[in-house]
Amino acid sequence: MPYTIKIINLEKTIHAQKGELLADKILEYGIDLSVYCQKKALCGKCFIEILEGNLPPLDEIEDFLLRKNRLSQSHRLACRYKITGDLAINIPPESLLQKTFILKTGIKLPLAIDTFVKKYFGEINKPGLDHPHSLLSEWGKHLRKKQLRIQLKLLQTLPGILKDSKQKVTTVLYDDNEILAVEPGDTTEKSFGLAVDLGTTTLVVELIDLNTGESIDAATENNAQMKYGMDIVSRISFAYQKPDNLKKLQAVIIKNLSHMIESLLEKNHIPQDHVYEIVFAGNTAMNHLLLGISVDTLAVSPFHAVFHRLSAFTANELGIRLNLNAKAYVAPNIKSFVGGDISSGLQATDLASHKGNLLFVDLGTNGEIVLKTEKKFVATSTAAGPAFEGMNISSGMLALPGAIFKVEKKNRLILHTIRKEKPQGICGTGLIDLIALLLDEGKITPSGKISGEKDTIRITEKIAISQKDVREIQLAVAAVKTGIQMICEKYRIKKVDLDMVYIAGAFGNYLDTKNAMRIGLLPDIDPAKIVYVGNASLAGARALLLSRPARKRTESLIRKVEYVSLASDPRFQDCFIDSLNFGDGNSSR
Amino acid sequence: MPYTIKIINLEKTIHAQKGELLADKILEYGIDLSVYCQKKALCGKCFIEILEGNLPPLDEIEDFLLRKNRLSQSHRLACRYKITGDLAINIPPESLLQKTFILKTGIKLPLAIDTFVKKYFGEINKPGLDHPHSLLSEWGKHLRKKQLRIQLKLLQTLPGILKDSKQKVTTVLYDDNEILAVEPGDTTEKSFGLAVDLGTTTLVVELIDLNTGESIDAATENNAQMKYGMDIVSRISFAYQKPDNLKKLQAVIIKNLSHMIESLLEKNHIPQDHVYEIVFAGNTAMNHLLLGISVDTLAVSPFHAVFHRLSAFTANELGIRLNLNAKAYVAPNIKSFVGGDISSGLQATDLASHKGNLLFVDLGTNGEIVLKTEKKFVATSTAAGPAFEGMNISSGMLALPGAIFKVEKKNRLILHTIRKEKPQGICGTGLIDLIALLLDEGKITPSGKISGEKDTIRITEKIAISQKDVREIQLAVAAVKTGIQMICEKYRIKKVDLDMVYIAGAFGNYLDTKNAMRIGLLPDIDPAKIVYVGNASLAGARALLLSRPARKRTESLIRKVEYVSLASDPRFQDCFIDSLNFGDGNSSR
């Protein structure tokens, strides 16, 4: 006859047979008990409080973890507790799986934290005459793992650290099989990682607490590679000229990132030794340049990448100084022109597991478009250029304090700036609002001509829109519009058939749907179907940093997505020229 | 009804069902067909000649490999050939598994070559518009492997190498999962490794062809660490004094080895780039010192090691310059005082798979003794000191040209020297012969006293034996004698119960059994039971370099062997003092 286990604080009752493991039963009933250490009695995160029922004596390990966690004597590890009778228990909130939300805008998708990097505190036994093991085998016993990989340099330091810390150390394990670091005392609370959005125009580095998944701080800077080429194509050409240029491009971005990371860590009082992993999400060319890998094959037909998927290597190899053995992982490229920024974006939105006809559009310097139907999972890319990031626009700027990000007309023109600072320039969303407004007012014709005599429209004393600026926006919009239209047509998906359109990109929530539709950037559909997911590339990098299953899913996802080349489609030219007209125009075909 | 396959040149007939793979059937019948690449049609080593029967058209890969191997059109890869009818075939000798003999003396144990390092030549497809893979995935397809590990530095060079070599390259794979190197053109013939006997007194580096298992050349030198301590205990003490001393000890041996390796490679016209792995066999302290790992815990009770078993790391990390990504592997230690020299020695003699009561004695600076009975597998160690290597002996020297290695008396004293050169000194085996002779002549008493007035016995004008020399030998012999006696007594094995005694050590075939028994170094048993296996430690290193199964076996073996501490046995002192008398004396108890 099964025993009854009442979980008082969760108001649930579960049943179990004699001898079954309490942790297994709790998990079986769908309760998210933390099994951080895979039920090895290492982490002490699955303590439950026994209110009624058998309270077996504490073993040495439980006692150690109980004291470490300052819990009452009525707590036991669920991963050690064998059921022998009816029970009434509490599962403390701390013993439930840590979850975090990866996307900051749009949709709320909880992600269970299961990092590659895990820290365990404990006392390493001294080998004795009666157990003549080696220090390393005692370590393996402590971590319940027979064979552990360790770098020679780290192994050399182990005896000293152990001696100095009186055998009480925190071990940093990577993917359960490699010792990354060993630190004296209990440093389990101090575990950090970095997620990097490796944009062509903008770099974002986010500092993340690997224990909680919480974003601690972030830094945004212009990509310093811009001095060698504003867009990715000109950087590929520059690298193609001579091998030294590739080195220059790599050096400049490493310096750029190193500086950002240093400042972030300093500002948040986190020593670099406590940062154990960095994950990069960037387009294919950007991540090749980051790794110093030739982009020559991306410069000429058939435009192929050197790699799509790489195992984690060390940040040190890359010249980025974190913990000596910290790992670096690059979100895998889907195809030559659909890179790790998109694979991570798809991971962040969990597109692969949603049903219906879904469109994912990343409005970055490259406009990547992914269509998922019941039958197909296809991606394409369009060269939008950096106009949406305020580049190549006379009064343009990044979405930084002082940027006009929203423009309204209520009797008079109202300019909203970031942090309400004095207008410094205009960023992507502001430009889109402005063009829509000027179209409505007839100050710009549907073909993009500034009406009247002057070829400049003044907004403030310092800020104006030139004919050239309008042309830049027009080209960027047309690129995206053509892409969406052609991919939908190819797979016979009409606008009305679209169940959801995810808009990713630095635009975030600022993009005004009505205005975006007005100029033709977004298809003219039910606005409720449009979801702004913000910087999904960065969010995906965060997911890849925080979740081993997410990384696994992404690595298998990239094999499923097909690439469709727009440029090789004979209808491309016509469609592009048609798309140059502002508005939804021909997209209803 | 099964088909009949006549193997003409081997005079065998085998049977198979329709659709079965020819390679599988050949292997099933116990014929050692080469499956170097695990039947992936990569290496082209399993070609068979079809004399009668179906000759299917060559596919692209077979055609490529056929031309590479300059074979006739009637050859097909057995790993691709599906049986569809009766056959008559020849299996060319080149298609049979390469085997080598690991031990050079004593017993002949054939070892099938299955190296960790494997080289494959082929043409890497260029990704095309129709197959937009990455370069690395094309590589994976070529090697029939989805995910390959590769160092960032190597990945950076790949596009250039491929371009320069018109896609025709040789890939060096390690353990089927990591690309170690990529070389333009076909370099499969050039694959080398190093086996190192890391002796306390003597270093031996052997250069080995990884394709044939053949030993190309070897170099022997005194261990340069000797300037910091003649024996291992004094080196441990030296390292214990201050951390800098450990670094000194490591630096000196790395320099020593590097010099030996450089000379060996230069002499044999082998570039360091073609050396992909180095395997070290040394005692526990020696391999800690090699890796720059503290020996402090070996200096004080309970005398434990920092590691027993380590995964392969890179030679580069160690400061030894071979191929940039060449691997370094250290034969695993069995226990604190029974190191990788013994685990490799046991591998070389394949002791674990032999039946009966077996004794393995390594007569190095440390005398390690392993006893295997039907029930027990135990090891112990005794501090013999370096006397057997000619050290601490007034006229002593290593077994180098000019050393007296054999002494006989036929009317007059006959001194045999290595390479018949003029006597320079006397080495271990010569000393044993000499002491036995002097005992017989009564010039030395059984208690080790030189009879008569003088305390020196002159042998040649320059070479003499002093009372101190006799004492050194006496102590070394007593250490080994005590060890053998005590371990046998402990497990109730009488001398007559011993089925085989393997004697390892630089002594090799030169040791005169009768004389060794006369002085008490070897137990007085049927001389036919004594097998001299020579430098089994070096032979084992060779086995660990050439055979993946051997390495696996050794790593599991070290968990099976128990350690017996002689020093902690209360009868040790008495037994040792008794053993100081030359001769088999009390060992018949």
Side-chain angles (χ1 to χ4, degrees):
Chain A
M1 223 188 73
Y3 296 121
T4 300
I5 300 159
K6 287 184 184 157
I7 307 172
I8 306 299
N9 66 330
L10 303 183
E11 293 179 2
K12 277 204 175 189
T13 300
I14 66 176
H15 301 281
Q17 300 293 335
K18 185 171 174 161
E20 287 187 308
L21 201 63
L22 184 53
D24 286 342
K25 296 317 287 185
I26 294 173
L27 290 166
E28 210 173 275
Y29 276 80
I31 299 165
D32 283 337
L33 184 75
S34 174
V35 283
Y36 184 84
C37 71
Q38 270 95 39
K39 298 182 282 181
K40 288 179 180 168
L42 258 174
C43 63
K45 288 186 195 288
C46 71
F47 270 114
I48 46 105
E49 188 181 10
I50 310 283
L51 302 172
E52 284 167 34
N54 180 34
L55 193 67
L58 287 166
D59 68 13
E60 200 185 340
I61 288 167
E62 267 182 319
D63 186 51
F64 177 84
L65 292 169
L66 202 70
R67 278 184 289 121
K68 173 177 177 284
N69 288 302
R70 298 165 194 277
L71 291 169
S72 82
Q73 291 288 320
S74 59
H75 287 78
R76 291 294 178 276
L77 288 174
C79 72
R80 289 231 151 176
Y81 192 98
K82 292 260 171 72
I83 293 155
T84 58
D86 290 343
L87 281 175
I89 62 171
N90 271 339
I91 303 182
E94 312 86 78
S95 294
L96 292 173
L97 198 58
Q98 287 276 4
K99 290 191 178 185
T100 188
F101 291 103
I102 287 299
L103 282 168
K104 296 194 170 167
T105 59
I107 29 176
K108 284 215 162 221
L109 293 167
L111 183 88
I113 296 175
D114 177 14
T115 46
F116 281 77
V117 172
K118 286 186 174 155
K119 295 183 87 167
Y120 299 113
F121 171 61
E123 190 167 349
I124 312 294
N125 283 333
K126 273 190 187 170
L129 272 174
D130 50 330
H131 48 116
H133 308 297
S134 70
L135 200 62
L136 205 58
S137 27
E138 287 292 349
W139 221 293
K141 272 168 63 192
H142 163 60
L143 298 169
R144 334 270 192 263
K145 187 94 189 169
K146 257 188 191 166
Q147 180 73 337
L148 287 162
R149 293 198 294 141
I150 185 166
Q151 292 290 315
L152 191 54
K153 285 238 178 308
L154 181 57
L155 182 63
Q156 287 166 346
T157 67
L158 287 201
I161 294 176
L162 264 197
K163 203 177 154 196
D164 294 348
S165 62
K166 301 206 172 81
Q167 312 285 121
K168 290 199 173 87
V169 292
T170 301
T171 308
V172 187
L173 258 195
Y174 191 78
D175 205 14
D176 289 333
N177 64 39
E178 183 182 355
I179 300 181
L180 280 196
V182 173
E183 296 159 1
D186 183 358
T187 61
T188 47
E189 296 292 308
K190 292 160 189 161
S191 185
F192 304 95
L194 298 164
V196 180
D197 172 24
L198 206 64
T200 308
T201 309
T202 316
L203 302 177
V204 188
V205 179
E206 194 174 32
L207 176 63
I208 291 162
D209 186 322
L210 294 181
N211 284 313
T212 62
E214 196 191 326
S215 166
I216 297 166
D217 200 352
T220 303
E221 275 186 22
N222 277 338
N223 184 334
Q225 286 180 331
M226 282 202 281
K227 69 177 165 187
Y228 297 113
M230 286 298 279
D231 53 46
I232 199 71
V233 175
S234 51
R235 275 175 238 171
I236 292 175
S237 315
F238 178 71
Y240 192 71
Q241 285 163 29
K242 53 179 181 178
D244 240 27
N245 289 356
L246 173 64
K247 284 184 194 152
K248 275 185 196 164
L249 284 162
Q250 189 193 18
V252 84
I253 194 154
I254 295 296
K255 196 176 158 194
N256 198 166
L257 289 168
S258 296
H259 174 77
M260 290 170 80
I261 293 168
E262 255 172 59
S263 314
L264 259 183
L265 296 182
E266 204 174 316
K267 191 174 146 204
N268 292 282
H269 310 290
I270 290 170
Q272 64 187 25
D273 281 352
H274 285 154
V275 184
Y276 306 103
E277 186 158 36
I278 183 165
V279 172
F280 300 93
N283 64 49
T284 309
M286 274 308 303
N287 58 39
H288 277 57
L289 293 176
L290 172 78
L291 303 186
I293 290 169
S294 167
V295 288
D296 290 4
T297 56
L298 288 169
V300 290
S301 178
F303 307 106
H304 68 82
V306 173
F307 70 92
H308 287 155
R309 180 161 72 110
L310 288 181
S311 307
F313 45 96
T314 68
N316 207 21
E317 281 174 85
L318 213 50
I320 290 181
R321 291 183 59 197
L322 308 172
N323 181 289
L324 182 69
N325 294 311
K327 295 284 182 179
Y329 180 77
V330 174
N333 303 316
I334 295 175
K335 290 281 144 35
S336 317
F337 294 112
V338 182
D341 48 350
I342 304 308
S343 69
S344 60
L346 297 180
Q347 181 54 55
T349 51
D350 198 16
L351 202 81
S353 63
H354 291 270
K355 295 229 173 274
N357 296 316
L358 309 170
L359 202 61
F360 174 94
V361 183
D362 189 332
L363 292 171
T365 312
N366 271 359
E368 287 96 349
I369 299 156
V370 179
L371 174 69
K372 181 175 173 288
T373 71
E374 296 305 318
K375 290 177 198 161
K376 281 279 170 187
F377 205 157
V378 290
T380 191
S381 62
T382 64
F388 294 142
E389 298 181 64
M391 295 288 141
N392 291 357
I393 303 292
S394 56
S395 302
M397 69 178 285
L398 283 180
L400 296 174
I404 300 170
F405 71 94
K406 191 175 170 65
V407 182
E408 290 178 292
K409 184 122 189 189
K410 290 177 181 165
N411 302 323
R412 60 179 189 85
L413 209 60
I414 303 168
L415 305 176
H416 300 268
T417 61
I418 295 178
R419 295 226 192 121
K420 298 191 176 167
E421 285 185 13
K422 204 180 146 214
Q424 300 289 320
I426 188 159
C427 71
T429 52
L431 279 165
I432 288 165
D433 285 351
L434 198 60
I435 302 274
L437 208 80
L438 296 170
L439 278 168
D440 281 346
E441 290 181 338
K443 290 188 180 160
I444 297 178
T445 68
S447 70
K449 175 99 187 62
I450 291 181
S451 319
E453 307 266 297
K454 288 183 185 161
D455 66 352
T456 295
I457 302 169
R458 190 141 298 279
I459 310 300
T460 71
E461 200 178 319
K462 283 185 181 169
I463 298 166
I465 293 288
S466 70
Q467 181 62 59
K468 189 184 150 289
D469 294 341
V470 180
R471 293 295 179 218
E472 289 283 344
I473 294 289
Q474 213 173 350
L475 286 167
V477 169
V480 175
K481 198 164 134 188
T482 309
I484 293 176
Q485 211 169 298
M486 285 183 68
I487 205 166
C488 286
E489 276 176 24
K490 192 173 169 91
Y491 297 99
R492 302 212 165 74
I493 302 296
K494 294 200 188 111
K495 282 195 298 182
V496 291
D497 300 332
L498 287 171
D499 294 300
M500 208 57 97
V501 178
Y502 299 95
I503 305 295
F507 280 175
N509 280 333
Y510 298 141
L511 189 65
D512 183 288
T513 305
K514 199 170 69 27
N515 290 339
M517 288 181 183
R518 173 70 185 88
I519 66 168
L521 179 64
L522 295 186
D524 180 16
I525 59 170
D526 176 1
K529 289 182 175 175
I530 292 182
V531 183
Y532 297 102
V533 292
N535 190 342
S537 162
L538 181 65
R542 212 181 297 140
L544 295 173
L545 178 69
L546 290 171
S547 159
R548 294 194 285 184
R551 204 176 289 185
K552 213 170 170 181
R553 282 196 301 269
T554 300
E555 294 192 344
S556 85
L557 176 75
I558 61 163
R559 280 187 238 118
K560 288 182 203 144
V561 181
E562 280 173 65
Y563 181 72
V564 186
S565 166
L566 290 184
S568 63
D569 191 311
R571 292 169 310 122
F572 178 75
Q573 289 301 339
D574 287 348
C575 188
F576 186 78
I577 288 166
D578 285 353
S579 296
L580 282 171
N581 278 327
F582 281 123
D584 194 32
N586 53 3
S587 72
S588 58
R589 281 197 298 197
Chain B
M1 222 189 73
Y3 296 122
T4 300
I5 300 159
K6 287 184 186 158
I7 307 172
I8 306 299
N9 65 330
L10 302 184
E11 294 178 1
K12 277 205 177 189
T13 300
I14 67 176
H15 301 282
Q17 300 292 335
K18 188 174 173 159
E20 288 187 308
L21 200 63
L22 184 53
D24 287 342
K25 296 317 288 185
I26 293 174
L27 289 167
E28 210 173 275
Y29 276 80
I31 298 165
D32 283 338
L33 185 74
S34 174
V35 284
Y36 185 84
C37 70
Q38 270 97 44
K39 297 180 282 181
K40 289 178 178 169
L42 259 173
C43 63
K45 288 187 196 286
C46 71
F47 271 113
I48 45 105
E49 188 180 10
I50 310 283
L51 303 172
E52 283 167 36
N54 181 34
L55 194 68
L58 287 166
D59 68 13
E60 200 184 337
I61 288 167
E62 267 181 318
D63 186 49
F64 177 83
L65 292 170
L66 202 69
R67 277 184 289 118
K68 173 179 178 282
N69 288 305
R70 299 165 195 277
L71 290 169
S72 83
Q73 290 289 318
S74 59
H75 287 78
R76 290 296 178 275
L77 287 173
C79 73
R80 290 231 150 177
Y81 192 98
K82 293 261 171 72
I83 292 155
T84 58
D86 290 342
L87 281 174
I89 62 172
N90 271 340
I91 304 181
E94 311 86 79
S95 294
L96 293 173
L97 197 58
Q98 287 275 5
K99 290 191 177 182
T100 188
F101 293 103
I102 287 300
L103 281 170
K104 294 193 171 169
T105 58
I107 28 176
K108 285 215 161 223
L109 294 167
L111 184 88
I113 296 175
D114 177 15
T115 47
F116 281 78
V117 172
K118 286 186 173 155
K119 295 183 88 167
Y120 299 113
F121 171 62
E123 190 166 350
I124 312 294
N125 282 333
K126 273 190 187 170
L129 273 174
D130 50 329
H131 49 116
H133 308 296
S134 70
L135 200 62
L136 204 58
S137 26
E138 288 292 350
W139 221 292
K141 272 168 62 192
H142 162 60
L143 298 169
R144 334 272 192 261
K145 185 93 190 173
K146 257 189 189 164
Q147 180 74 338
L148 286 164
R149 293 198 295 141
I150 184 167
Q151 292 290 315
L152 191 53
K153 286 241 176 306
L154 180 58
L155 182 63
Q156 287 167 345
T157 67
L158 287 201
I161 294 176
L162 264 196
K163 204 177 154 198
D164 295 347
S165 62
K166 301 206 171 82
Q167 312 284 125
K168 290 198 173 88
V169 292
T170 301
T171 307
V172 187
L173 259 195
Y174 190 78
D175 204 14
D176 287 334
N177 65 38
E178 182 181 356
I179 301 181
L180 280 198
V182 174
E183 297 158 2
D186 183 358
T187 61
T188 45
E189 297 292 310
K190 291 157 190 162
S191 186
F192 304 95
L194 298 164
V196 180
D197 172 24
L198 208 63
T200 308
T201 309
T202 316
L203 302 176
V204 188
V205 178
E206 193 174 32
L207 176 63
I208 291 163
D209 186 324
L210 294 181
N211 285 311
T212 61
E214 196 191 325
S215 167
I216 297 166
D217 199 352
T220 303
E221 276 187 21
N222 277 338
N223 185 336
Q225 285 180 333
M226 282 203 280
K227 68 176 164 187
Y228 297 113
M230 286 297 281
D231 53 47
I232 200 69
V233 175
S234 51
R235 276 176 238 171
I236 293 174
S237 314
F238 178 71
Y240 192 72
Q241 285 163 28
K242 53 179 180 177
D244 240 28
N245 289 356
L246 173 64
K247 285 185 193 150
K248 275 186 196 163
L249 283 162
Q250 189 193 17
V252 84
I253 195 156
I254 295 295
K255 196 176 159 198
N256 197 166
L257 289 168
S258 296
H259 174 77
M260 290 170 80
I261 293 167
E262 254 172 59
S263 314
L264 258 183
L265 295 181
E266 204 175 314
K267 189 175 148 204
N268 292 281
H269 311 290
I270 291 170
Q272 63 187 25
D273 281 352
H274 286 153
V275 183
Y276 306 103
E277 187 158 34
I278 183 165
V279 172
F280 299 95
N283 65 49
T284 308
M286 275 308 302
N287 58 38
H288 277 57
L289 294 176
L290 173 78
L291 303 186
I293 290 169
S294 167
V295 287
D296 290 4
T297 55
L298 288 170
V300 291
S301 176
F303 307 105
H304 68 82
V306 173
F307 71 93
H308 286 155
R309 180 160 72 110
L310 288 181
S311 308
F313 46 96
T314 68
N316 206 21
E317 281 174 83
L318 211 51
I320 290 180
R321 293 183 59 200
L322 307 173
N323 181 289
L324 183 68
N325 295 311
K327 296 284 183 180
Y329 179 77
V330 173
N333 303 317
I334 294 176
K335 289 283 147 27
S336 318
F337 294 113
V338 182
D341 48 350
I342 303 307
S343 70
S344 60
L346 296 181
Q347 182 54 55
T349 50
D350 199 14
L351 201 80
S353 62
H354 291 269
K355 297 229 173 275
N357 296 316
L358 309 170
L359 201 62
F360 175 93
V361 183
D362 190 332
L363 292 172
T365 311
N366 273 358
E368 287 95 349
I369 298 157
V370 179
L371 174 70
K372 182 175 173 286
T373 70
E374 295 306 318
K375 292 178 196 161
K376 281 280 171 186
F377 205 157
V378 290
T380 192
S381 62
T382 63
F388 294 142
E389 298 181 64
M391 295 288 142
N392 291 356
I393 303 291
S394 55
S395 302
M397 69 179 286
L398 284 179
L400 297 173
I404 300 170
F405 71 95
K406 191 174 169 66
V407 181
E408 289 178 293
K409 185 124 189 188
K410 291 177 182 166
N411 301 323
R412 59 180 190 87
L413 209 60
I414 303 167
L415 305 175
H416 299 268
T417 62
I418 296 178
R419 295 224 193 123
K420 297 190 177 166
E421 285 185 12
K422 204 181 145 214
Q424 300 289 318
I426 188 159
C427 72
T429 50
L431 278 165
I432 289 166
D433 285 351
L434 197 60
I435 301 275
L437 207 80
L438 295 170
L439 278 168
D440 281 346
E441 291 183 338
K443 290 189 180 161
I444 297 177
T445 68
S447 68
K449 176 99 187 59
I450 292 182
S451 320
E453 305 266 298
K454 286 185 187 163
D455 65 351
T456 297
I457 302 169
R458 191 143 296 281
I459 310 300
T460 70
E461 199 177 320
K462 283 184 179 168
I463 299 167
I465 294 287
S466 70
Q467 181 63 60
K468 188 181 152 290
D469 295 341
V470 180
R471 293 296 178 216
E472 289 283 343
I473 294 288
Q474 212 172 351
L475 286 168
V477 169
V480 176
K481 198 164 133 187
T482 308
I484 294 177
Q485 211 169 298
M486 286 184 70
I487 205 166
C488 286
E489 276 176 24
K490 193 174 168 90
Y491 297 99
R492 303 215 164 72
I493 302 295
K494 293 201 188 110
K495 280 195 298 181
V496 290
D497 299 333
L498 288 171
D499 294 300
M500 207 59 97
V501 177
Y502 298 94
I503 306 295
F507 280 174
N509 279 333
Y510 297 141
L511 188 65
D512 183 284
T513 305
K514 199 172 63 41
N515 289 338
M517 288 182 183
R518 173 70 186 90
I519 67 167
L521 179 65
L522 296 186
D524 180 17
I525 59 171
D526 176 1
K529 289 181 175 177
I530 291 182
V531 183
Y532 296 102
V533 292
N535 190 341
S537 162
L538 180 65
R542 212 181 296 140
L544 295 172
L545 178 70
L546 290 172
S547 159
R548 294 196 284 185
R551 205 176 288 186
K552 216 171 167 180
R553 281 197 301 268
T554 299
E555 293 190 347
S556 85
L557 175 75
I558 61 162
R559 280 187 239 118
K560 288 182 206 144
V561 182
E562 280 173 66
Y563 182 71
V564 185
S565 166
L566 291 186
S568 63
D569 191 311
R571 292 171 309 123
F572 178 74
Q573 290 299 342
D574 287 346
C575 188
F576 187 77
I577 288 168
D578 284 354
S579 297
L580 282 171
N581 277 327
F582 281 122
D584 194 31
N586 51 4
S587 73
S588 57
R589 282 197 297 199

